[in-house]
Amino acid sequence: MTIIIINFKTYKKGKEVLKLVRIIEKINKNIIVGLIPLDIKEISKKTKLKVFSQYLSDDIKEIKGSASGVFLNHSDHPLTFNKLKKSISLCKKNKLKTAVFTTSLREARKIEKLKPTYLIYEPKELIGGKISVSQAKPEIIRKFKDNLSMTFLVGAGIKTSKDIKTALDLGSSGIAISSVIMKSRNPEGKLKELIGSVTSSKAKYYYDI
Ligand code: G3P
């Protein structure tokens, strides 16, 4: 199964968050969305999507029982390795899944030992940019595949279905995206263009999500 993460970051506010969540849910219910802790409780009640917190705030109660999981060590919220280790174990105790981001294979190999639910490679300098991880770092994606035992996702600068296809062909099990959807005037059309399309009579997906 291809795993798709859509990180809302702080692009959307108030009612716009639920509006976009509804659009995504209509396209595919297995997509993981990353929201700020403040939005988790309300939005989780209203969607079947898997809602992850974009980081672990000081008070885990803010998301416990409503979020499916937490992003850890994203470039927007980097953690020391020690803090990451403690955060993963705290999440596990609280039945929260963990999606841990990394900027290098070296770090990924250490993170793998902590057994997170998901591991995502995102080169920091490509995040929000025009060139995708698939175009800029194909050899590193391949190295992730060859050197890790666990499956991994990739993200940063992904803008086209070709970027996604390349990432999957190189060995990743999914992708993490943000600006391509958040900045689109037609997020529904853009997401369908990226991951597939659904018509009323028959569903056609490029990927098994
Ligand atoms: O977590 C996903 C995000 O960091 C990637 O951002 O805008 O490059 O798709 P973007």
Side-chain angles (χ1 to χ4, degrees):
M1 190 169 103
T2 305
I3 302 148
I4 309 279
I5 292 180
I6 303 181
N7 190 348
F8 276 50
K9 303 199 176 181
T10 50
Y11 284 106
K12 302 287 171 193
K13 300 234 157 47
K15 287 183 182 151
E16 288 175 352
V17 178
L18 183 61
K19 197 174 158 201
L20 185 51
V21 160
R22 293 256 188 261
I23 289 173
I24 296 170
E25 169 179 81
K26 220 166 61 180
I27 298 173
N28 194 293
K29 291 189 174 51
N30 291 322
I31 290 174
I32 295 170
V33 289
L35 306 182
I36 55 166
L38 194 66
D39 284 334
I40 302 279
K41 252 192 193 119
E42 194 202 325
I43 304 288
S44 311
K45 274 190 254 162
K46 297 180 177 163
T47 183
K48 289 200 175 75
L49 291 177
K50 295 179 186 74
V51 175
F52 275 50
S53 175
Q54 288 176 25
Y55 57 93
L56 192 57
S57 51
D58 291 337
D59 187 4
I60 201 165
K61 282 195 214 113
E62 201 178 3
I63 59 162
K64 193 181 164 177
S66 42
S68 303
V70 182
F71 295 169
L72 294 171
N73 200 39
H74 187 279
S75 293
D76 293 339
H77 304 278
L79 299 172
T80 61
F81 190 72
N82 200 27
K83 179 78 184 161
L84 173 63
K85 203 171 163 183
K86 286 188 182 147
S87 302
I88 293 178
S89 119
L90 182 65
C91 287
K92 284 183 181 168
K93 267 187 214 133
N94 285 281
K95 299 196 174 8
L96 287 161
K97 294 193 168 105
T98 52
V100 179
F101 290 77
T102 180
T103 54
S104 72
L105 176 59
R106 192 162 167 261
E107 187 187 41
R109 291 177 77 156
K110 286 171 74 186
I111 294 171
E112 179 178 40
K113 297 199 178 95
L114 306 177
K115 297 194 186 338
T117 319
Y118 304 109
L119 177 66
I120 307 109
Y121 168 54
E122 282 196 0
K124 191 176 174 187
E125 70 281 9
L126 301 177
I127 294 176
K130 289 202 175 100
I131 300 171
S132 70
V133 60
S134 321
Q135 291 169 280
K137 309 277 182 186
E139 71 294 347
I140 304 201
I141 301 176
R142 179 66 79 196
K143 277 193 185 157
F144 264 66
K145 177 70 183 166
D146 294 342
N147 289 281
L148 295 176
S149 337
M150 78 175 287
T151 58
F152 64 94
L153 284 70
V154 299
I158 291 178
K159 296 275 183 297
T160 64
S161 53
K162 184 165 179 253
D163 289 333
I164 301 178
K165 186 175 182 309
T166 306
L168 299 177
D169 287 347
L170 289 165
S172 83
S173 294
I175 49 128
I177 51 176
S178 180
S179 51
V180 67
I181 300 300
M182 296 302 140
K183 287 183 171 177
S184 171
R185 286 206 187 144
N186 173 12
E188 180 170 357
K190 183 51 83 178
L191 189 57
K192 283 181 180 169
E193 176 195 315
L194 284 180
I195 65 165
S197 59
V198 183
T199 63
S200 53
S201 57
K202 55 178 180 200
K204 171 179 163 281
Y205 281 103
Y206 300 141
Y207 311 112
D208 170 29
I209 301 167

